[in-house]
Amino acid sequence: MTAKLNVNIDHVATIREARKTIEPSIITAAVICEQSGADGITVHLRQDRRHIQDRDIELLRDVVTTYLNVEMAATDEMVAIAAKTLPDAVSLVPENPNEITTEGGLNVVGNFENVQSAAEQLRFAGIFVSMFIDPETDQIDAAKRAGAQQVELCTGEYAELTLASRAAHGDGRQKAVEEVFRISKAAKHATDLGLIAAAGHGLTYRNVGALAAIPEITEFNIGHNIISRAVFVGLNNAVKEMIDAIS
Ligand code: PXP
């Protein structure tokens, strides 16, 4: 079965926030993604509100008819927003105010009580709980114990290894193959525990194929590469091309 694609539309809001104006509309973006075959819409409500704003979540909740997945830090503020707006899913992610983008997975082992408490409150509100973690056995086990229903395996390391500049030099290509194997083993371990396995971060039209071949991975969350391509070919084509790349 082909894995689902949730399109992360954060960077449509990044363009809007560059001018603090009303365009481009992330609502229009969400509708185009859905009409182009996306299985869901993902957004990251960051604590610094650098792109997605609280009102975006409220509007998206009214408009998105497929699946709305909101990435957020495991804080009281974020859990309260989720409990009020009721997205279909929340993905708990780590957040560092100085990062350009999410840097690696959530350390569930090291922040167990906090993550467990957030997961419990989200599940109580009827929200599906995913945790974005590195493809490591101890983190997967901790996510399961902390109440995750899904783990999204961080593909940042794989993405880094498949950048043309890295893959072409030294043992970059071999290391990328090893990373696919590590992600595959992690996905198998997660599904053996009864968790759904998703993946995301840094994925592109060029590198998603090897991960799409892993049968346990049933969902991808992809943003930057799709929105970048949309600048040249339009969002509808960019989404369709990613669906093709996955299938
Ligand atoms: N999954 C998670 C948990 C993320 O934090 C992000 C980035 O916001 C993505 C997927 C999408 O990453 P990218 O924009 O590199 O495709």
Side-chain angles (χ1 to χ4, degrees), residues 158-201:
Y158 167 69
E160 186 69 24
L161 289 166
T162 56
L163 287 176
S165 53
R166 287 287 299 276
H169 291 103
D171 56 0
R173 197 175 295 267
Q174 178 55 31
K175 282 195 167 146
V177 171
E178 287 165 15
E179 187 62 11
V180 172
F181 185 62
R182 186 167 85 108
I183 293 167
S184 167
K185 258 178 51 186
K188 172 90 176 62
H189 183 65
T191 54
D192 284 349
L193 292 180
L195 293 162
I196 293 173
H201 203 64

Side-chain angles (χ1 to χ4, degrees), residues 16-245:
R16 181 193 65 195
E17 294 303 310
R19 287 290 175 92
K20 299 277 176 217
T21 182
I22 58 165
E23 60 186 6
S25 158
I26 63 151
I27 300 306
T28 307
V31 171
I32 292 173
C33 290
E34 289 189 317
Q35 287 176 345
S36 308
D39 298 287
I41 303 298
T42 294
V43 286
H44 185 171
L45 183 66
R46 283 185 166 271
Q47 292 171 93
D48 63 12
R49 308 299 198 272
R50 68 174 72 159
H51 38 54
I52 296 296
Q53 307 296 310
D54 299 46
R55 182 163 158 72
D56 293 327
I57 306 287
E58 288 165 20
L59 293 172
L60 285 167
R61 179 58 297 176
D62 285 347
V63 167
V64 169
T65 56
T66 50
Y67 188 75
L68 179 62
N69 172 38
V70 179
E71 299 170 355
M72 54 175 57
T75 65
D76 291 345
E77 181 204 13
M78 289 295 153
V79 169
I81 291 169
K84 195 169 126 230
T85 48
L86 298 177
D88 298 292
V90 160
S91 300
L92 295 174
V93 300
E95 230 176 79
N96 161 6
N98 299 320
E99 68 194 359
I100 292 175
T101 181
T102 313
E103 294 167 340
L106 183 65
N107 181 0
V108 185
V109 174
N111 297 284
F112 189 81
E113 276 82 27
N114 182 42
V115 174
Q116 185 183 41
S117 160
E120 201 171 286
Q121 294 171 69
L122 292 165
R123 287 186 64 165
F124 184 74
I127 300 167
F128 183 84
V129 176
S130 181
M131 293 181 193
F132 179 64
I133 56 172
D134 289 329
E136 292 168 4
T137 306
D138 59 342
Q139 294 293 349
I140 297 166
D141 293 345
K144 172 74 181 173
R145 286 199 313 279
Q149 290 152 292
Q150 169 174 298
V151 285
E152 180 181 345
L153 301 170
C154 176
T155 55
E157 178 71 20
Y158 167 69
E160 186 69 24
L161 289 166
T162 56
L163 287 176
S165 53
R166 287 287 299 276
H169 291 103
D171 56 0
R173 197 175 295 267
Q174 178 55 31
K175 282 195 167 146
V177 171
E178 287 165 15
E179 187 62 11
V180 172
F181 185 62
R182 186 167 85 108
I183 293 167
S184 167
K185 258 178 51 186
K188 172 90 176 62
H189 183 65
T191 54
D192 284 349
L193 292 180
L195 293 162
I196 293 173
H201 203 64
L203 296 178
T204 68
Y205 299 94
R206 297 169 297 284
N207 69 19
V208 76
L211 300 183
I214 299 171
E216 286 82 8
I217 297 179
T218 53
E219 177 190 294
F220 289 102
N221 287 285
I222 307 179
H224 186 269
N225 195 232
I226 296 175
I227 304 305
S228 302
R229 180 125 179 95
V231 171
F232 301 118
V233 302
L235 186 54
N236 52 347
N237 289 321
V239 171
K240 284 180 186 156
E241 286 178 23
M242 189 57 83
I243 292 169
D244 285 350

